[in-house]
Amino acid sequence: MSDESEREQALRQLPLPYSLALRLRDGGVDPALICEYIGVELAALEGVYRMAEAKLAALHDSPTGTTAAGPDTGAAEG
């Protein structure tokens, strides 16, 4: 799929909770529903977004597409 966006490729490399949170936010889904889907409290959601965006930025800045700390397969923490 050569027409796939760079952001989409990076989203596919994120751990599922982070990827799902960003995709749902971008799709206009209610924050309370996003929290339910990814298993965090509403008060923690902004932190999840920040962490997900930081992970995306690290993927973008890394020549190999992986972060310096290696793959993160853990759930989103809040």
Side-chain angles (χ1 to χ4, degrees), residues 6-23 25-26 48-60 65-67 70-76:
E6 185 175 317
R7 179 174 171 87
E8 176 61 28
Q9 290 174 6
L11 282 169
R12 289 179 183 207
Q13 294 180 47
L14 289 180
L16 184 59
Y18 296 115
S19 176
L20 184 58
L22 292 179
R23 290 171 188 273
R25 180 191 66 182
D26 293 349
V48 171
Y49 291 151
R50 283 192 302 273
M51 182 64 74
E53 292 289 355
K55 288 179 178 291
L56 276 179
L59 286 170
H60 178 59
T66 60
T67 60
D72 179 2
T73 58

Side-chain angles (χ1 to χ4, degrees), residues 21-65:
L22 292 179
R23 290 171 188 273
L24 292 173
R25 180 191 66 182
D26 293 349
V29 174
D30 183 79
L33 191 53
I34 295 173
C35 289
E36 186 176 328
Y37 284 151
I38 65 172
V40 299
E41 297 292 326
L42 189 57
L45 188 57
E46 286 302 318
V48 171
Y49 291 151
R50 283 192 302 273
M51 182 64 74
E53 292 289 355
K55 288 179 178 291
L56 276 179
L59 286 170
H60 178 59
D61 293 341
S62 173
T64 61

